[in-house]
Amino acid sequence: GPIVCRKDGSSMPFFSEGVTKIKLTILYFLNKLGFGITKDQITTVGGTYDLAPYFDLQSAVAEMEEDGFLAAVPRPFGQIYALTARGQQAVELFYEQLPTSLRDDLDTYADECRETLRHQCQYTARIEGQPNGSYIVRMIFMERDEQLLAMELLFPDVKSANRAAALWADKAQSAYCYLLSSLSGALD
């Protein structure tokens, strides 16, 4: 593999630290994005750029967590993966090993999907079928790392449950504000 020169003049083979191109690409993207995302979102990024097969990406994320480059952070909607100090250091040391064209693509992609990815982490709705044929929709509204609103609503059929889940991102803020003011007595 390529050789990287350390500040003290000694050299270190690029892949000796277990940082492969797939891993470096994921680390670079997360660094560019500025916040952690779920494993599924990482896989989507990988698929968009044909970086690696799905399972290779999944195992790269798992290995980077084991090796301390990524930290798994629990969230109500599932785990997100964020850069650790070690992951940040790997990006700073090795980013030039990625082709400039790939870095440019990743920069553009990070800028294009930043709001969408943040949005996906902010509003989540999961539908669960019930034995009696009704459906529960679990809805969560997050602001940064804080859960502002989490609720479960029972719907009579899958059509209304799907509609509620689809509308959640648009309606969560007004629902939150309405509940906050009515339950705190501001609407009396």
Side-chain angles (χ1 to χ4, degrees):
I3 300 295
V4 174
C5 291
R6 292 196 175 110
K7 288 189 174 89
D8 66 5
S10 65
S11 65
M12 169 174 59
F14 173 46
F15 296 113
S16 71
E17 300 289 298
V19 184
T20 61
K21 184 179 177 185
I22 298 171
K23 292 177 183 178
L24 185 57
T25 303
I26 294 168
L27 293 173
Y28 181 87
F29 181 77
L30 284 174
N31 187 50
K32 214 36 146 170
L33 199 58
F35 56 89
I37 55 177
T38 66
K39 199 182 274 188
D40 287 345
Q41 290 171 322
I42 291 171
T43 311
T44 302
V45 173
T48 304
Y49 286 101
D50 295 323
L51 297 175
Y54 177 84
F55 292 108
D56 292 358
L57 284 165
Q58 294 279 321
S59 57
V61 170
E63 287 167 22
M64 286 192 293
E65 185 187 355
E66 279 171 30
D67 297 340
F69 292 108
L70 291 178
V73 184
R75 289 283 184 274
F77 53 83
Q79 286 195 136
I80 62 166
Y81 290 85
L83 278 185
T84 60
R86 185 168 185 204
Q88 183 86 41
Q89 189 180 23
V91 173
E92 289 164 11
L93 282 174
F94 299 133
Y95 78 94
E96 288 177 345
Q97 301 293 338
L98 292 175
T100 309
S101 58
L102 177 59
R103 278 184 277 153
D104 290 346
D105 284 350
L106 291 168
D107 292 352
T108 304
Y109 190 61
D111 290 340
E112 283 171 1
C113 69
R114 186 173 285 113
E115 286 314 306
T116 307
L117 290 172
R118 189 176 278 142
H119 205 258
Q120 286 171 355
C121 291
Q122 201 170 10
Y123 309 99
T124 53
R126 289 220 175 103
I127 300 171
E128 282 177 27
Q130 301 302 299
N132 66 2
S134 64
Y135 290 81
I136 287 180
V137 182
R138 298 177 200 284
M139 294 169 273
I140 298 170
F141 172 33
M142 303 274 298
E143 190 66 57
R144 289 184 199 85
D145 295 346
E146 291 210 75
Q147 187 173 306
L148 297 181
L149 177 63
M151 64 180 178
E152 294 181 359
L153 286 177
L154 187 65
F155 289 88
D157 55 59
V158 71
K159 190 177 176 189
S160 54
N162 280 327
R163 181 166 163 70
L167 287 171
W168 177 240
D170 293 332
K171 304 287 187 185
Q173 221 152 358
S174 53
Y176 171 73
C177 292
Y178 172 78
L179 286 169
L180 191 67
S181 52
S182 65
L183 294 173
S184 63
L187 293 180
D188 295 343

